[in-house]
Amino acid sequence: MFNKRIVTRIVSLLLIGTIKFSAAATVTPERLVAQVQQAAQEQLKRHAELANWAEPQFTVEVVRNTRPIGPCAQPPRVEPADVRTPARMRFVAICPDQGGWRYEFVTRAKISAKVAVAANDLSTGKILSAEDVLLERHDISGMPDSFSDLTAVQDMATRRTIRAGDVLRQNMLVAPTLVKRGDAVRIVAKSDQIEVSMAGEALDGGGRGATIRVKNASGVTIRARVTEMGQVEPAD
């Protein structure tokens, strides 16, 4: 006859094992949605760091999958499927069991941050100064090309008329042309404390940072980078 204490211990272990197995096998829709939501939040934080969003805030909604969720003996994992557009991302929940399931989820995010806006009405071709822009919090869910750094838009030129309060976006601005084709330019090469310059002629036009062709005083065509009005530096 079994000892009563041993029987009690075996029953206790069996009950504990059953409880553990049931907990592992139960995957509720709510728990899976929370896992997807957490993955989306983490992905948005990465986007915010890469885009240098100023004081970002976001809320995430997970679009419910209507398919029934099957049992899974192991904790399911969530992987990104398409996170190129922060406002609408896709994730896949995977049960790692042999022959386990895969469910796709879509997340919608509302994102706000402090971004550059026009401080006053700006005419077409206006070169921006510090007085023309300011930072305000706006919903940028559909505006991933906005600016959170005011210095990034200064010295840029407007492509069209912009009204006061409008969020500045990349397609609204262009680097102003500092060198035009045919302009006489100064080619400046610097190395440590040594600076050498010579005259040249621009064969292309461009704004700050643009790489253009320049013919130097010796008649040799070189690739040069525009640094300021009428001045370039060797690009190679």
Side-chain angles (χ1 to χ4, degrees):
M1 176 178 285
F2 287 113
N3 183 286
K4 184 177 181 181
R5 181 178 298 177
I6 294 175
V7 172
T8 303
R9 178 61 176 166
I10 293 173
V11 171
S12 177
L13 289 172
L14 287 173
L15 286 173
I16 293 173
T18 302
I19 292 172
K20 286 183 178 179
F21 175 79
S22 299
T26 303
V27 181
T28 65
E30 291 76 16
R31 183 178 300 176
L32 200 55
V33 164
Q35 195 173 343
V36 172
Q37 191 172 39
Q38 182 180 355
Q41 292 274 3
E42 292 172 355
Q43 193 65 47
L44 284 170
K45 289 178 182 177
R46 296 190 190 98
H47 274 291
E49 292 174 359
L50 291 173
N52 292 319
W53 290 338
E55 301 179 26
Q57 296 176 358
F58 31 75
T59 56
V60 179
E61 174 194 2
V62 180
V63 180
R64 293 296 184 113
N65 193 320
T66 56
R67 290 172 55 195
I69 297 175
C72 187
Q74 303 180 61
R77 67 178 186 271
V78 174
E79 298 178 353
D82 186 351
V83 294
R84 291 172 295 178
T85 305
R88 188 182 186 279
M89 299 184 289
R90 290 191 301 111
F91 294 85
V92 177
I94 302 170
C95 174
D97 290 354
Q98 183 74 26
W101 43 254
R102 292 170 61 93
Y103 295 104
E104 184 175 297
F105 289 88
V106 174
T107 64
R108 295 172 182 159
K110 184 176 181 180
I111 307 163
S112 73
K114 287 189 174 181
V115 292
V117 302
N120 42 62
D121 290 345
L122 305 171
S123 58
T124 303
K126 164 72 174 174
I127 297 179
L128 301 182
S129 64
E131 291 74 26
D132 296 318
V133 294
L134 51 86
L135 279 180
E136 285 184 353
R137 179 170 294 280
H138 279 268
D139 184 345
I140 61 169
S141 304
M143 295 184 288
D145 57 343
S146 53
F147 300 88
S148 286
D149 182 3
L150 292 182
T151 61
V153 301
Q154 291 178 24
D155 297 328
M156 298 282 278
T158 57
R159 290 180 179 269
R160 59 176 176 79
T161 299
I162 300 174
R163 299 301 180 191
D166 285 353
V167 175
L168 299 179
R169 304 178 65 177
Q170 292 177 15
N171 62 355
M172 297 179 177
L173 306 175
V174 63
T177 301
L178 299 180
V179 173
K180 295 180 181 179
R181 181 179 180 181
D183 279 357
V185 295
R186 182 168 172 254
I187 306 169
V188 178
K190 298 178 181 179
S191 178
D192 297 329
Q193 303 299 318
I194 301 174
E195 178 178 310
V196 178
S197 66
M198 68 185 306
E201 178 188 351
L203 301 180
D204 302 305
R208 190 187 308 277
T211 300
I212 64 174
R213 294 173 302 149
V214 174
K215 183 189 294 184
N216 64 23
S218 301
V220 178
T221 299
I222 66 170
R223 294 172 65 254
R225 186 177 299 105
V226 179
T227 55
E228 55 185 86
M229 185 72 72
Q231 182 171 306
V232 300
E233 63 180 9
D236 298 326

